[in-house]
Structure formats: C-alpha cells, structure tokens
Amino acid sequence: MTNSKNLNFRNRFTELGPEFYQAKSPDPVTDPYLIDFSPSAAQLIDLAPDEEENKDFLDRFSGNCPLEGAQPLAMAYSGHQFGSYNPRLGDGRGLLLGEVQNQKQEIWDIHLKGAGPTRFARGFDGRATLQSSIREHLASEALNGLGIPTTRSLAIIGIRELIYRQRPELAAILVRLADSHIRFGSFEFFHYTGQAQNVKRLLEFAIESYYPDIAQESDRYRIFFQRTVQRTAKLIAKWQSVGFIHGVMNTDNMCITGTTFDYGPYGFMDRFVASHTPNHSDTHGRYAYSQQSEIGFWNLNKLAETLVPLVGAENLEEEMKQYQPTFNRFYREEMGDKLGLAILDSEFTQLVQKMFHLLQDLQLDYTNFFRFLADYPGTSRSQNNELRSWLNQYLELAKREGISQEERKVEMDSVNPKFILRNHLIQSALDKALKESDFSEIKRLRIILENPYQTQPEIFEKFRIDAEYYSQDTPESFLSQQTSCSA
Ligand code: AMP
Ligand code: MG
C-alpha cells in the first residue's frame, strides 16, 4: 500500500508524440471537498483504503498540487456521434494524469474528468456537473460489482464553482481509473486527418500495451482487431444480460479494450421495454436497449475502416463476420446462466424468445423476474395463464438439468443481481447531495452495489435502511426515465 505521493507512474502515452495530445496540467480549484471515495478502486493503484483521509489527497487529485511523476495530457480523438462524423472532439475537459503500474504489474490510467478546458474544449467550460459525476461514479462502481468490464471511479471531488448548463449547477471532478483511454475515435482521428503513420503508431502502442502476447506475431494487427471484436461482443452481451443501456454509444465512447466507457445518459432496464433508451436526445432510439448489439457492429465497422491499409479489407471483413456469432454465443451463455440452464438447445431458444414476449407484454421488472424465477416454485405470485404455462415449460427444462431446486437457486442468484442502480435510487442520492450536501446515500449505494448478487443483511442493519426499498421494482413515477447528455 502506498499514498498518493508515491504512485508509480509509467507514462507510456506521452512517448507517442505531440500529434497525440496536448500536454496540460489541471486548472487549480478553490477549496476542493470530498464527495465519495471508492476503497475498492483505490486498491487497483495500490492506494490505501483510507487514502481519502490523507490531507493532501484532495489537492493532488483536484489539480491543485501536481502528482509526482504524472505528466498530464489531453488526448486527441474524433468520432461518429449518432451516425455522423465529428472531426473535432478530444479531451475537452478530461486529462490523462498518467499511467500507474501497481504491484501486480498492471497498468491503470488515472484520468480527471472536469479538470478545466483544454485546446479541445470548443468553447465549453471544461468542467463536469456534480450530478453527472455522481451518475458516472455510481454506475462505474455498480457495473464493476456486476462483474462487467468498466472504467472505475476512485473519487468524486466537489469544487466550489458554479457552472452553467440549463441553469447554474455545482461542479465536480471525477477521478477515473481505466485500463485504457484509447477509443475507436482515437483511430478515426488519425485516419480522417490523413495521418496513416500515426494510425500505425497508435495500433503498435495498443498492441504493446494491451496484448504484449502478440507483439511478435506477423499478423498482430489483424489479431488486435479480432480481439477488439470479441471483447466488444462480449461486453455488449453482458450489458444485455443485466439490462444495462449505455445510452450514447458514439465511437468516441467505445474503448478498444471492450471496457464500458464514458457514462452519460445510461439506464438499467426496469419494466421491460426492448425499445427503451435512457437518452433524452436520442429521439430515434438509435442507442436503445434492443439496438446495442447492432450498434456494436456498426462501431466496429468504423474502427475497421481506419485499419484497411494495415490489415486489408478482406481480412477485416472476415473478422467482422465473427461479430454476430460471437455475440450470439456469449449472449446465449449469459441467458442460460440467468435461467439456470446449461442445455442450450432449440427448446431453450424458444423458451427465451417467449420469455421476452412475456416480460414485455406483462410489463415485468427485468431484474426481479430472474430472482423470482430462482425461487420458483418455492414462491408464487399472481400469474396469468400465459405466464403459468411458460413457468411450467421452464420447470420442465430445469428438471432436465438434473440439479436440485436449491442448487439451481444458488447458481441463479449468483448471476442475477438483487440490486441494480435504479432511477429512484440514483435520484434520492442526487437529491440529498445537491439539495442538502448530504453525500451519505452515494456511499451507501456504492457499498450495496459492490455486491449486487448478495442480500447483505448486515449492511442494511448497519445503515438502518430498508433492503426492500433498494430491491423493489422501480416505482411507477421513475420508470423509463430519460436523462440529457449534460445532466
Ligand atoms: P462526452 O459527452 O463527455 O462524451 O463529451 C463529448 C465531447 O465533448 C468530448 O470531446 C468532450 O471532451 C467534450 N465536452 C463535453 N463537455 C465539455 C465541457 N464542459 N467542456 C469541454 N469539453 C466538453
Ligand atoms: Mg465521451
């Protein structure tokens, strides 16, 4: 364990050269204060779990005091937003402080989001709202709890500055940790500005950093793309499985390591509506739940276009052909696990298809349905005929597995979360924070969502809070909520 003064920085990205970034330090802030700190994220960079109490922690991570060894920079990238190419993106308010190597030899990027305007800011203020920082913090830690690859959130640091969106808002800095900050859009930037040599450099850098095992292979560029396809397919299958909707799958928000990246107007499926999008600006539902796997394919195609000179169009096409079957395979396995079924035959496929019709027709809560199923037939609830007949069919297939109901329950409960980041839970954490400067609900939620598959009675006892409130179906007034990009 160490403290934030002794982080082991190994800044590889700076070596790529000035076309790749703007070197820039965070803007100083007055009187930064801690909103929340994640000890489990701290562990990733060998920071002590109580590092937040270090008197210099806030100054170091808000930009007031330089971190020894850090070489902060804003990365250049572009990307496709809602299907159209935007040549001018880049870290307008984010800074990569540097890469830290931990004792396990893993390398983690430390990134500040909301650290002041950079040359990519396009006239925006370079800051992030406290609200959006809380939303990203909770979602990062929640997805990690669910076992889904994601950027992490070490801390939210409040800054005493009002920023203007639709109205004046409180601002904050999010301290993000990630295995990579290279986006599909990073490749697009160099491709569309005619810098073929830098596409190649970035690709070599990515291979060296993330896939050293293939560094000597002659077809490593192709293998890199193949792995990106696989990881993206796997990630989206996992999102679908827990009902996570990213909400803004632009190519600049797609990380090449298949990590959930850049949380904006995300959401979790509550009452099942396949066409739901949590993004208020997404009027055509481009990034709706039901579209995510297809958008993954679309985005990978955009990445592929940048690699044509290096990998060859035919090879890339071959790899792209693997996307859908790979996604289907992962998704099928996820669904099998959720249902406690290992025999994934045509009867299983039919059962799953019917299940989604029922979920949608009966407007069932997606998450709680699987917890109910794990207990079935031990518990009953009012059922209509269609559901009853489906449940009978389900039990038939469960019987074929040759495991006891108790075993099935244990297996199912270990993959079907009891707790997800529901809108009413986020809202209450936001209300307390924004209206009363009370950040305790953010902390409680983070802790509960660290172990979303477990009932955790001790936590509820400790905090004297009602477990039912955290696991119940989302209340009517919070269903299918949408958030705007700046919120
Ligand atoms: P995001 O919506 O966070 O994925 O950001 C999309 C693009 O807008 C990125 O290039 C960001 O750096 C930039 N951006 C968003 N908000 C701000 C801001 N307040 N100041 C500067 N740049 C911003
Ligand atoms: Mg983004």
Side-chain angles (χ1 to χ4, degrees):
M1 286 301 147
T2 181
N3 67 36
S4 46
K5 192 174 181 327
N6 301 315
L7 289 167
N8 181 22
F9 278 102
R10 287 253 338 258
N11 301 325
R12 304 169 297 186
F13 196 82
T14 55
E15 289 158 23
L16 282 170
E19 300 95 333
F20 287 78
Y21 58 87
Q22 174 200 10
K24 183 188 178 289
S25 293
D27 287 352
V29 295
T30 37
D31 200 12
Y33 58 101
L34 186 70
I35 298 202
D36 194 34
F37 175 87
S38 166
S40 90
Q43 232 176 16
L44 299 173
I45 49 172
D46 297 334
L47 278 186
D50 58 356
E51 175 63 20
E52 91 237 50
E53 286 161 22
N54 184 326
K55 66 174 177 39
D56 297 326
F57 175 80
L58 290 171
D59 279 333
R60 288 200 183 110
F61 283 97
S62 64
N64 279 349
C65 163
L67 272 168
E68 206 160 309
Q71 287 171 277
L73 57 90
M75 288 162 90
Y77 58 84
S78 57
H80 279 81
Q81 299 182 309
F82 289 91
S84 309
Y85 184 64
N86 185 343
R88 290 180 65 220
L89 290 170
D91 283 335
R93 56 176 167 175
L95 290 176
L96 177 68
L97 285 185
E99 298 143 86
V100 164
Q101 185 166 38
N102 68 16
Q103 280 161 7
K104 287 194 246 166
Q105 312 305 312
E106 295 165 346
I107 294 193
W108 287 91
D109 286 359
I110 305 185
H111 176 102
L112 300 187
K113 191 165 178 177
T118 71
R119 83 161 187 236
F120 305 107
R122 295 173 288 157
F124 296 116
D125 58 12
R127 294 292 182 203
T129 63
L130 173 56
Q131 170 163 325
S132 70
S133 307
I134 296 171
R135 285 179 51 87
E136 172 152 357
H137 177 72
L138 286 173
S140 317
E141 295 309 283
L143 258 74
N144 180 62
L146 288 164
I148 299 178
T150 173
T151 56
R152 299 293 302 274
S153 175
L154 175 68
I156 317 171
I157 299 176
I159 60 177
R160 306 209 187 265
E161 198 175 294
L162 279 182
I163 55 175
Y164 294 86
R165 297 295 181 260
Q166 273 92 345
R167 52 174 185 274
E169 293 216 30
L170 293 168
I173 295 174
L174 186 87
V175 186
R176 177 158 85 180
L177 306 181
D179 61 347
S180 170
H181 273 84
I182 299 180
R183 309 146 192 259
F184 290 12
S186 311
F187 285 92
E188 291 178 279
F189 173 74
F190 294 109
H191 174 69
Y192 289 107
T193 48
Q195 302 182 59
Q197 206 46 35
N198 283 335
V199 174
K200 190 170 167 189
R201 291 195 68 188
L202 189 61
L203 185 54
E204 287 286 3
F205 175 83
I207 292 170
E208 234 174 81
S209 306
Y210 314 122
Y211 305 118
D213 60 309
I214 58 166
Q216 305 306 320
E217 303 289 335
S218 57
D219 58 349
R220 60 186 177 282
Y221 297 162
R222 178 178 178 160
I223 305 176
F224 165 84
F225 186 69
Q226 182 182 71
R227 290 192 180 177
T228 310
V229 169
Q230 282 169 353
R231 287 197 186 190
T232 304
K234 187 170 190 171
L235 176 69
I236 299 175
K238 281 187 176 288
W239 287 353
Q240 296 305 106
S241 139
V242 298
F244 175 76
I245 314 156
H246 182 284
V248 59
M249 291 173 70
N250 294 332
T251 56
D252 56 305
N253 292 336
M254 299 289 292
C255 181
I256 48 131
T257 55
T259 296
T260 314
F261 194 85
D262 253 13
Y263 292 86
Y266 64 81
F268 277 86
M269 187 63 80
D270 19 53
R271 203 176 268 185
F272 191 81
V273 181
S275 61
H276 176 56
T277 170
N279 186 342
H280 183 70
S281 331
D282 187 8
T283 37
H284 298 290
R286 179 181 171 88
Y287 297 137
Y289 175 77
S290 53
Q291 299 303 304
Q292 295 194 119
S293 93
E294 213 172 292
I295 288 293
F297 181 80
W298 195 93
N299 288 342
L300 282 162
N301 252 316
K302 291 294 160 207
L303 175 64
E305 282 172 28
T306 72
L307 301 179
V308 169
L310 295 168
V311 182
E314 263 176 45
N315 289 336
L316 289 162
E317 243 167 72
E318 282 302 306
E319 296 304 336
M320 283 304 293
K321 277 191 199 146
Q322 295 305 313
Y323 174 80
Q324 199 58 50
T326 307
F327 172 83
N328 290 348
R329 181 165 49 82
F330 285 131
Y331 182 65
R332 203 175 168 74
E333 284 167 7
E334 291 283 342
M335 279 297 144
D337 289 347
K338 284 181 86 64
L339 290 165
L341 302 174
I343 305 169
L344 310 182
D345 57 1
S346 59
E347 284 188 74
F348 166 80
T349 307
Q350 272 181 1
L351 186 86
V352 172
Q353 280 169 355
K354 241 180 169 174
M355 177 186 80
F356 278 110
H357 283 135
L358 276 175
L359 285 169
Q360 179 114 4
D361 289 350
L362 302 177
Q363 306 212 323
L364 300 178
D365 183 90
Y366 180 69
T367 302
N368 286 339
F369 177 73
F370 291 98
R371 295 292 285 205
F372 153 75
L373 214 53
D375 287 326
Y376 190 78
T379 55
S380 62
R381 61 192 252 179
S382 57
Q383 292 154 21
N384 79 351
N385 285 342
E386 260 183 299
L387 179 58
R388 196 172 313 129
S389 117
W390 185 89
L391 286 166
N392 287 338
Q393 239 173 307
Y394 169 65
L395 283 186
E396 285 298 313
L397 295 202
K399 261 189 223 144
R400 295 192 312 187
E401 301 282 326
I403 57 168
S404 69
Q405 196 208 317
E406 291 73 30
E407 284 171 289
R408 175 168 65 84
K409 175 177 165 55
V410 171
E411 281 182 13
M412 287 173 71
D413 283 353
S414 73
V415 295
N416 293 309
K418 182 166 177 70
F419 304 104
I420 54 161
L421 191 50
R422 293 176 182 275
N423 292 330
H424 67 291
L425 302 178
I426 305 181
Q427 197 56 53
S428 126
L430 286 175
D431 285 346
K432 286 199 169 86
L434 301 176
K435 295 181 186 157
E436 301 164 33
S437 297
D438 171 357
F439 309 127
S440 59
E441 184 60 16
I442 301 172
K443 177 177 172 173
R444 281 193 290 270
L445 259 184
R446 171 177 52 73
I447 292 174
I448 293 165
L449 295 169
E450 256 169 29
N451 294 295
Y453 301 106
Q454 290 160 25
T455 51
Q456 314 175 71
E458 66 292 347
I459 300 279
F460 292 94
E461 239 164 71
K462 180 177 158 195
F463 290 127
R464 297 166 184 270
I465 50 176
D466 177 18
E468 173 63 22
Y469 166 75
Y470 289 88
S471 61
Q472 71 188 10
D473 292 7
T474 307
E476 195 88 22
S477 57
F478 291 92
L479 286 173
S480 303
Q481 261 188 349
Q482 293 187 319
T483 311
S484 77
C485 278
S486 64

